[in-house]
Amino acid sequence: MRTAPTILHLDMDAFYASAEQAAKPSLRGKAVIVGGLGPRGVVATCSYEARVFGVHSAMPMAQARRLAPNAAYLVPRFGLYREVSEQVMGLLRELSPLVEPLSLDEAFVDLEAGQTAWDAESARLTGVKLRGDIRAVTGLTGSVGLAASKMLAKIASEQAKPDGLVLIEPGTERELLAPMSVRTLPGVGPATGDHLRRAGITTVGEIAEAGEDELVRLLGKAHGVALYAMALAHDVRPVVAERDTKSVSVEDTYDVDIHDRVRVRMEVQRLADRCVRRLRGAHLSGRTIVLKVRRYDFSTLTRSETLRGPTDDPAVVREAAARLLESVDTTGGVRLLGVGVSGLADYTQEDLFAQARTAAAAAAASAEELEHAEKEEAEEAVEEAVPPAERRWHAGHDVRHAEFGHGWVQGSGLGRVTVRFETPGSPPGRVRTFRSDDPLLEVAEPLPLVERRPGDVGSPAGSPAGSPAAGGEG
């Protein structure tokens, strides 16, 4: 482990909810909960004002509504979050070539590799400047942890929340860790924590006192040895520059179980098309098609098929997903469906579609496959007869009205949609209600959270326009 606190961990504070509050002046200082709003939805994140009521990430949305009935409940806007994330990651890449993103709102940075920090004081100054730059570019806050290892830097950023900076001086790690819960250490979830508790071990210090042999006896060699090393503050994992994307996938959870096989097939086809759009958006192709099915009893099945070469052809992905579905029994009902592509590459085998057709024709020699082909033709006819869906107005999403300008959806139903007209830089706006089919109302793109002045493209002071700090394409 290095001798200077030059590993930085950044964690954006309540990222999705904070972005929504920055975009919507009327929600600043209010309880905001972002996630799936259906009966089976879960909380993706919530503002600190909502956490006062006991709401937290991954909580069922129905439970959150009981705890905080007056909060603002919004559907995620991932396009906005990705844009802001790119702005933040651009700032991190200015500090070092070694940036390891963990998610849209979290990353490790090796400051020593970028020669931006070499001791405690230079690391602290770098962290202070980073937090100021993030606020200037995005209007949001992030918490920074600095330490000599990844594990300790992450622990430090948790201690810094919200909107703070904590530096762990080398040599103080074991004293700091000793009173902390065993759940603080990476890899200690509820099951492992409970197992350790039954053995009388509840703190990191007690793990160190128990010794490696006892940990191996309790948890097995690999887990026991690793956990003992972490309790002694030993963590030599390097910061790894951006990992290649391993897969691209989409999934939907349904408010009511789907029992109709035709509907299940249509949903899989729709998900396959969405997955390919995402795949093409990332300029990728893939060889392995994956189908995920969660049934009525919560059992989750995955099926996969590896093609002879990478593809980004929607017809190929649809056909493969349909074949995979045939091996899954959905008679009792389906609550979740997903389609993914892995084995990614940045090129496409041009004749794969023809190959897939040939393979499918050969496989159709059996009576079962012939019957499947007939069903597919019938279902395609049904799909063509389905009328286009009505416009859906998602709570929290952006709209524009020809007369009143930019706003966001507060709610909709019974043929009406309620819109609050405001922008990130405006005072709290007025609310108006329209017919859901009002021709003057249309879906809009999110506005930047921070107004960009001509010539700086949102760059913080001292950063050239068009640099990574300006958010790249955003």
Side-chain angles (χ1 to χ4, degrees), residues 291-304:
L291 175 72
K292 177 179 176 181
V293 180
R294 181 166 296 147
R295 300 189 292 190
Y296 68 99
D297 58 357
F298 286 88
S299 61
T300 302
L301 305 175
T302 56
R303 299 287 185 270
S304 64

Side-chain angles (χ1 to χ4, degrees), residues 305 307 316 318-327 356 360 363 369 372:
E305 175 181 320
L307 306 173
V316 175
R318 281 197 302 267
E319 284 191 356
R323 286 195 295 275
L324 293 169
L325 181 61
E326 289 305 304
S327 65
E369 286 298 319
H372 161 52

Side-chain angles (χ1 to χ4, degrees), residues 14-350:
F15 182 46
Y16 299 171
S18 294
E20 297 298 346
Q21 288 177 317
K24 302 172 171 65
S26 59
L27 296 184
R28 292 170 191 170
K30 307 278 182 66
V32 174
I33 298 171
V34 180
L37 302 190
R40 291 175 177 170
V42 296
V43 175
T45 193
C46 58
S47 67
Y48 287 98
E49 294 85 355
R51 296 179 192 190
V52 171
F53 298 98
V55 180
H56 58 77
S57 298
M59 171 181 284
M61 192 60 77
Q63 183 181 354
R65 287 185 185 278
R66 288 194 295 271
L67 293 172
N70 297 318
Y73 289 85
L74 308 176
V75 175
R77 296 188 295 162
F78 289 109
L80 171 66
Y81 310 148
R82 279 190 287 269
E83 181 181 346
V84 176
S85 175
E86 261 312 302
Q87 291 177 303
V88 173
M89 296 303 164
L91 291 172
L92 298 184
R93 293 185 197 105
E94 288 190 336
L95 300 178
S96 173
L98 290 184
V99 176
E100 183 179 340
L102 304 180
S103 61
L104 289 178
D105 61 340
E106 186 180 2
F108 287 111
V109 185
D110 187 332
L111 299 178
E112 189 174 8
Q115 299 182 333
T116 48
W118 47 91
D119 59 13
E121 185 56 25
S122 59
R124 186 186 299 277
L125 290 173
T126 300
V128 169
K129 182 178 184 302
L130 173 65
R131 291 178 58 236
D133 286 349
I134 289 173
R135 186 185 288 274
V137 170
T138 70
L140 305 180
T141 63
S143 296
V144 168
L146 293 155
S149 71
K150 288 168 72 171
M151 177 187 78
L152 291 164
K154 185 171 174 63
I155 289 172
S157 70
E158 284 296 318
Q159 291 185 319
K161 281 187 165 294
D163 190 20
L165 182 151
V166 168
L167 184 148
I168 299 176
E169 292 275 6
T172 67
E173 298 95 345
R174 286 190 63 179
E175 182 183 356
L176 175 81
L177 287 173
M180 293 184 176
S181 163
V182 295
R183 293 287 303 277
T184 305
L185 299 180
V188 181
T192 302
D194 196 47
H195 193 56
L196 291 169
R197 182 186 57 76
R198 288 197 298 270
I201 299 173
T202 59
T203 67
V204 176
E206 288 167 347
I207 290 178
E209 290 171 9
E212 186 176 88
D213 291 344
E214 177 65 6
L215 267 293
V216 169
R217 186 186 70 78
L218 288 170
L219 304 174
K221 186 169 184 181
H223 200 179
V225 169
L227 200 58
Y228 181 66
M230 287 190 289
L232 299 181
H234 295 162
D235 178 19
V236 295
R237 294 173 299 157
V239 175
V240 180
E242 288 192 67
R243 296 185 176 91
D244 291 335
T245 303
K246 292 185 173 142
S247 65
V248 172
S249 63
V250 297
E251 62 182 44
D252 276 346
T253 301
Y254 303 99
D255 293 345
V256 179
D257 289 345
I258 303 175
H259 293 84
D260 181 7
R261 183 73 173 182
V262 172
R263 168 86 189 283
V264 172
R265 288 290 303 277
M266 289 168 60
E267 288 295 316
V268 168
Q269 302 293 285
R270 185 178 60 80
L271 289 166
D273 287 342
R274 272 177 55 199
C275 183
V276 169
R277 285 198 296 273
R278 186 171 292 183
L279 194 69
R280 287 181 167 180
H283 307 291
L284 295 169
S285 58
R287 297 182 67 238
T288 301
I289 314 303
V290 181
L291 175 72
K292 177 179 176 181
V293 180
R294 181 166 296 147
R295 300 189 292 190
Y296 68 99
D297 58 357
F298 286 88
S299 61
T300 302
L301 305 175
T302 56
R303 299 287 185 270
S304 64
E305 175 181 320
T306 299
L307 306 173
R308 294 163 65 183
T311 184
D312 66 352
D313 190 314
V316 175
V317 177
R318 281 197 302 267
E319 284 191 356
R323 286 195 295 275
L324 293 169
L325 181 61
E326 289 305 304
S327 65
V328 179
D329 179 13
T330 61
T331 9
V334 169
R335 60 184 287 118
L336 176 146
L337 289 168
V339 173
V341 177
S342 61
L344 301 180
D346 56 4
Y347 66 93
T348 303
Q349 186 168 317
E350 297 297 337

Side-chain angles (χ1 to χ4, degrees), residues 425-438:
S426 75
R430 294 187 61 182
V431 175
R432 296 181 183 274
T433 300
F434 307 92
R435 295 196 323 272
S436 59
D437 60 352
D438 189 324

